[in-house]
Amino acid sequence: MRSALPRWAGPLAVKAAVFITVMCCALAALLGVLVHVSVTNQTVGQARELALSRLQDATRAYEAGDRLLPGAGVDPKGLPAPLRSMAVAGERGTMVSTHLGRPTMWAAGPAAGRRALAVAVDYSQQSRTIAALDTSILWSSVLAIGATVLVGAFAMTRVTQRLHGTAQVARRISAGDLDARVNDPRTKDLTRPQDEVAAVAAALDSMASSLQGKLLSEQRFTADVAHELRTPLTGLHAAAELLPPGRPTELVRDRVAALRTLTEDLLEISRLDTGREKLEADTEELGALAGRVVRVSGTDTEVRIVRDALVETDRRRLERVLGNLVANAHRHGRPPVVVTVNGRVVTVRDHGDGYPSYLVAHGPQRFRTEGGATGHGLGLTIAVGQAEVLGARLSFANAVDGGAIATLMLPSGEVR
């Protein structure tokens, strides 16, 4: 099973930790090799000088016919073959090897009769010194790497936590919470050093404030226009009712009714935009409610009940959502139009050309239609807004075999 990373952890933190660890290991290895080579060369050099000095003394004693010092001899046992070959060839040299189970520094030179005069110097102390040095380098490197990684991880944690908080605010803004702000302390205190994360936080807060201002202006404009149109439309409707019967009167009344419907839709959208709508929940049977919506619409719509359910919901708002979906299916799609109730999921499907790609990807947008469709895009916008008030989720998709599918998933809380 894959282990879950902490909430603040992510690719940036992982990459930074790996980078810091690799660089620390590389630096520690480089420094360790340099120290090891330097100390080893110095130690070996001193041992070589001592061995060559004793070889020189042994050579003088050998040439004078005196007794050789302890550790010196002609072709002694244990003398490395390469070093003996060098001495027989007339050259002097040194070599480290193991003799009698102990590290030994050998120095050899030529002797009479194609033999080698050699001196053995105990190299155990120097070998132990180098081994102890290597151990010290290893442990100090491990401690240095551990301390550096911990400090780097702590620093990256602070950065990633701030980035994670900024990302959370961005997601809240995209979900509609325009009051969300990062409020990074560094952006408020100019005496503190400003880093890139603070710059991103400040830019996000500025963008959110600008977006909120523009949306509020749009909402106020929509509400003001709808309210201003209401009074003259009321008078226009009353005047249309006084016109004599006839085809021109029917056309005027039809246009006045369409304009009143548009105005009421704008008012409803402005109320939804304020976010102050209150639910009046009651127990409703979805199958019966769907059937009632279809009857009121006066359309030829089939209602299929796969599994009925009783839910706690606001009847008026739910009827508004389903009514708009059914009306949209008949206005922009082709029959047959089917409303299916399956538990707390209600789908409305037609068999037309399907929803536009922008609507499937981003949801309905007011006053936007494509493909020569008529209307203002307000019906589905209202349906989405009312669904949010209900706590439901309304999604749009296109069927593989053609047609548009709107799926309304009511919140869990079924009575049956």
Side-chain angles (χ1 to χ4, degrees):
M1 184 183 218
R2 188 177 179 180
S3 59
L5 291 173
R7 290 179 60 85
W8 53 263
L12 178 61
V14 173
K15 290 178 181 178
V18 171
F19 176 77
I20 292 173
T21 303
V22 171
M23 292 304 297
C24 288
C25 291
L27 182 60
L30 178 61
L31 293 177
V33 169
L34 291 177
V35 173
H36 172 82
V37 170
S38 176
V39 174
T40 301
N41 288 340
Q42 182 179 2
T43 304
V44 172
Q46 292 175 351
R48 181 180 291 112
E49 289 179 0
L50 176 61
L52 290 175
S53 175
R54 291 188 178 181
L55 176 62
Q56 187 175 4
D57 294 340
T59 301
R60 284 197 296 264
Y62 176 75
E63 292 176 349
D66 297 336
R67 183 178 179 181
L68 297 178
L69 298 174
V74 177
D75 289 338
K77 292 182 179 180
L79 178 64
L83 185 59
R84 184 182 185 284
S85 299
M86 180 186 299
V88 170
E91 298 181 4
R92 289 188 174 189
T94 59
M95 180 178 290
V96 177
S97 68
T98 302
H99 179 57
L100 300 178
R102 304 179 67 177
T104 301
M105 171 67 75
W106 289 93
R114 295 186 60 79
R115 292 185 298 173
L117 176 63
V119 175
V121 178
D122 187 12
Y123 192 70
S124 301
Q125 181 62 37
Q126 292 86 342
S127 179
R128 286 193 295 269
T129 300
I130 294 175
L133 175 65
D134 291 341
T135 302
S136 300
I137 292 175
L138 176 62
W139 283 109
S140 60
S141 299
V142 170
L143 292 177
I145 292 172
T148 306
V149 169
L150 288 177
V151 173
F154 175 75
M156 286 305 303
T157 297
R158 292 176 61 86
V159 173
T160 52
Q161 281 178 335
R162 293 169 61 196
L163 288 175
H164 178 70
T166 303
Q168 280 186 322
V169 172
R171 284 191 288 268
R172 287 171 57 190
I173 293 174
S174 65
D177 183 7
L178 298 182
D179 292 324
R181 298 291 186 274
V182 179
N183 290 325
D184 195 312
R186 291 171 176 78
T187 61
K188 299 181 181 299
D189 186 2
L190 298 180
T191 60
R192 301 182 64 179
Q194 303 293 308
D195 56 11
E196 289 77 4
V197 180
V200 171
L204 180 62
D205 287 348
S206 176
M207 181 200 69
S209 298
S210 175
L211 180 62
Q212 186 178 37
K214 291 179 180 179
L215 289 179
L216 290 176
S217 298
E218 179 186 341
Q219 292 170 6
R220 283 194 298 268
F221 175 77
T222 303
D224 292 343
V225 168
H227 280 291
E228 291 297 328
L229 286 176
R230 255 185 146 181
T231 301
L233 276 176
T234 301
L236 187 59
H237 177 74
E241 294 296 325
L242 299 177
L243 293 175
R247 180 60 180 167
T249 299
E250 292 178 0
L251 292 176
V252 171
R253 289 176 180 175
D254 179 69
R255 293 299 86 196
V256 170
L259 191 54
R260 290 190 68 182
T261 300
L262 174 59
T263 303
E264 293 300 325
D265 286 346
L266 289 175
L267 285 172
E268 185 171 358
I269 287 178
S270 66
R271 289 193 298 269
L272 291 171
D273 285 341
T274 60
R276 299 177 181 176
E277 294 288 276
K278 302 296 182 183
L279 284 177
E280 296 179 2
D282 197 2
T283 302
E284 298 291 338
E285 189 173 351
L286 283 183
L289 188 145
R292 187 165 58 250
V293 168
V294 169
R295 287 193 300 271
V296 171
S297 69
T299 59
D300 183 15
T301 303
E302 179 185 355
V303 179
R304 297 176 183 172
I305 301 178
V306 178
R307 181 169 60 91
D308 206 351
L310 290 175
V311 295
E312 289 287 339
T313 188
D314 189 319
R315 178 182 58 80
R316 180 183 66 83
R317 298 184 189 280
L318 184 55
E319 288 179 348
R320 178 68 160 151
V321 173
L322 295 180
N324 284 12
L325 293 178
V326 171
N328 184 81
H330 282 280
R331 183 177 299 114
H332 302 292
R334 287 192 295 269
V337 177
V338 181
V339 178
T340 304
V341 178
N342 187 3
R344 60 188 179 93
V345 179
V346 183
T347 59
V348 179
R349 177 181 178 180
D350 63 59
H351 291 74
D353 297 329
Y355 292 119
S357 57
Y358 80 88
L359 191 149
V360 175
H362 306 290
Q365 301 176 23
R366 62 190 75 174
F367 300 111
R368 177 175 179 178
T369 55
E370 290 186 358
T374 59
H376 306 284
L378 299 181
L380 293 182
T381 303
I382 292 174
V384 171
Q386 294 289 11
E388 290 178 355
V389 175
L390 292 172
R393 184 167 60 88
L394 181 57
S395 59
F396 304 92
N398 291 324
V400 177
D401 55 347
I405 302 176
T407 303
L408 178 68
M409 181 175 293
L410 295 169
S412 58
E414 297 181 8
V415 179
R416 186 186 65 201

